Amino acid sequence: MTSVNFKRIQLPNGLEIIGEVNPDARSAAVGFFVRTGARDEQPEIHGVSHFLEHMVFKGSERRSALDVNREFDEIGARYNAFTSEENTVFWGAVLPEYLPRLVDLLADMLRPSLRGDDFDMEKKVILEEIGMYQDQPTWTAYEAVMRQHFGPHPLGNSVLGTSDSVGSLARDQMKAYFDRRYVTSNILVAAAGKVDWPRFCELVTDACSTWPGGADPRDARPANGAGSVHVITQKKIQQEHVLLLAPAPPAESPDRFAADVLTTAVGDGGGSRLFWELVDPGLAETAELDYHEFNGAGTFMTYFGCDPDNLGENLARIRAIYAAVGADNIRPDELDQVKNKAAARIVLRSERPMGRLMPLGFNWIYRREYRTIDDDITTLQSVSRDDIARVLAAYPLDRVTTVAVGPLTDAEFRSKMAGVADS
Amino acid sequence: MTSVNFKRIQLPNGLEIIGEVNPDARSAAVGFFVRTGARDEQPEIHGVSHFLEHMVFKGSERRSALDVNREFDEIGARYNAFTSEENTVFWGAVLPEYLPRLVDLLADMLRPSLRGDDFDMEKKVILEEIGMYQDQPTWTAYEAVMRQHFGPHPLGNSVLGTSDSVGSLARDQMKAYFDRRYVTSNILVAAAGKVDWPRFCELVTDACSTWPGGADPRDARPANGAGSVHVITQKKIQQEHVLLLAPAPPAESPDRFAADVLTTAVGDGGGSRLFWELVDPGLAETAELDYHEFNGAGTFMTYFGCDPDNLGENLARIRAIYAAVGADNIRPDELDQVKNKAAARIVLRSERPMGRLMPLGFNWIYRREYRTIDDDITTLQSVSRDDIARVLAAYPLDRVTTVAVGPLTDAEFRSKMAGVADS
């Protein structure tokens, strides 16, 4: 078997660098994980994290936007970036010989110029993106259920922001946010695969040792949503899209593996109680339960989409499933089955450096923990029905905030929810 | 470095089994490659290959459609299937301990019951899929340009078939096609990754040794399209979608690596002459040149989509690029650059068993050849400008069949093509 090695150093300015070195790999992946996202934004700058992610690709003092694009192409990199409620991540994967150029490029990008003309042009792109997402009922439902569930807690913030907040954002506000959040204490540099570790550390040191330190810790007070029902009527769409959000273990909890096993058994898209009782009989197009983890909070998110005529039946079946699981737990055969499936997914996702990078980075960011693939599989295999019972007792699946987007009015939705209109 | 081993056996009934065994991998992938597709269909059964691919998931004598779905889920498989002009491929990837169950499942599926009620139900799904694809301008353009380019040659056949051909297809016609084409001489079983080779051969032998032999070789006479211009007017869409198809080296040609390097330099989506001269200045949304290989034929396919106002300018720029490349070849610096990019892609695609399966199977099907990742990189690095000049001499980029789908009428398109309307 391949032997991998975990490495870690910290630069004098506070920047942490970690690596999972695998001499047998044929590629190397690097990520700059910035511990900042929508939850770290004040109301007047909603959407700035995501907008800033775009601006990072527009160049630095040394590079224009064209240069950035051309250099990724020249080194044959696979690369991308994403922004969430809690993180902004920039990553690339290349052949080992191009690792120095990739590090130079990514590190330089992370000190963006934020040029005024690029800012104005990119603002239009973001506003179009917001418009496009607003046309997607599932996205509308996701943003609404997070807002309803978390209420005033900043985890309810929209990742994209609104047309208003982004439209009125000034370049200097973005610069102030960048200066405050993109400090070394909020950045982790991670590498996976065929990496010459001492050389890699040298490269990062050369590129990043002048980055400012200082702390801007997250407001990470715990959050738990309160149940409510919120209906957004969109007559022009055919299907009713429903999201149910319940509290779940936070990212810091040792129960996150049990939460994962539980949601896979109950709501995995490829075969689960929700699949066999809602999707397979044709009552719903999709019906899934997912577990999402955040600092100090977690969510069990149920999603289903269906013909409005089947709404009452689907809600009744979900309630029955969650009541049965709450009373009797999942069955031993379900537990075994789900462990097999989850183990296969861990391996199939992780077999190359690109696939190792995200678990490597996020385990460190959330828990300062290094875990091999085998660690994850061992922990997974040890999950017991008692562990799941503990999760269910603390976080019942049915304590939900409900949001629906679709053709039904508020009154129609509530009446079907009460089981009146389906008979 | 990892050491891989190539293996091959043939069963008495003619079925070939190949494997690339990698003891260091953590997963195993298996594919059943059936050498049959749209080009092997008579007009009255157009679409049968793709429809049959769907029916394979509907079960066998031993399994219902539900069983198939449930078993893939139980073994945590990642799996799928696809149909093209020349191949129908069924594959799955699992943890090594589930390889026996995956082989049993896939092999059993490959002897489908083709039950009448499943057939009738699935026909509706396929007809919906055809309708959905017909709404996509790029798909409409692809089918039309293949038909126009290949004329009466069966490579011009539609993979999906038409609503008419699929609508009137009978279950017995599918059964006859299955009996004729799914014989052992047209099937290759391939495995990649952590595979116990003797055990794997035993499993395949147990499952497949009763499969009928017999030969049904493909009508593989060479094909070369004749240039023509065909305009499909769709007033309701905004963009003009244009496909240009030129002959290129066939799958059997040693020049396919040179063809690949050429198209990457000229038309790669991430940075190339087409990208920098059409997409980057904002004249086209997309502009790419791809190389496709078939038995006895190949195509250089140019695609671009743009505002109709920019059509004339884009066509003029493409003509100028192709004329320049035809006269002066690509530059030495372009050649080096493209080799780096192509090498990176080969590695990044191939680093896990799932990624090795398709090159493994297709190299064998088309060329009875086993090639390691390093073989591909070595051949790629040896491509010279002379090789590219030879390809360009035999297959000029500008000998094209043209199809446009978009708001322009035939007369408008031709006038912009002639450069009249853009001034």
Side-chain angles (χ1 to χ4, degrees), chain A residues 303-319:
Chain A
Y303 164 69
F304 70 96
C306 69
D307 189 303
D309 288 345
N310 296 325
L311 178 72
E313 178 64 25
N314 282 318
L315 280 169
R317 290 190 179 208
I318 290 173
R319 264 189 227 117

Side-chain angles (χ1 to χ4, degrees), chain A residues 112-114 170-180:
Chain A
S113 288
L114 309 179
R171 186 261 175 199
D172 288 349
Q173 289 175 293
M174 179 181 282
K175 180 68 167 63
Y177 175 83
F178 173 83
D179 288 341
R180 179 162 65 83

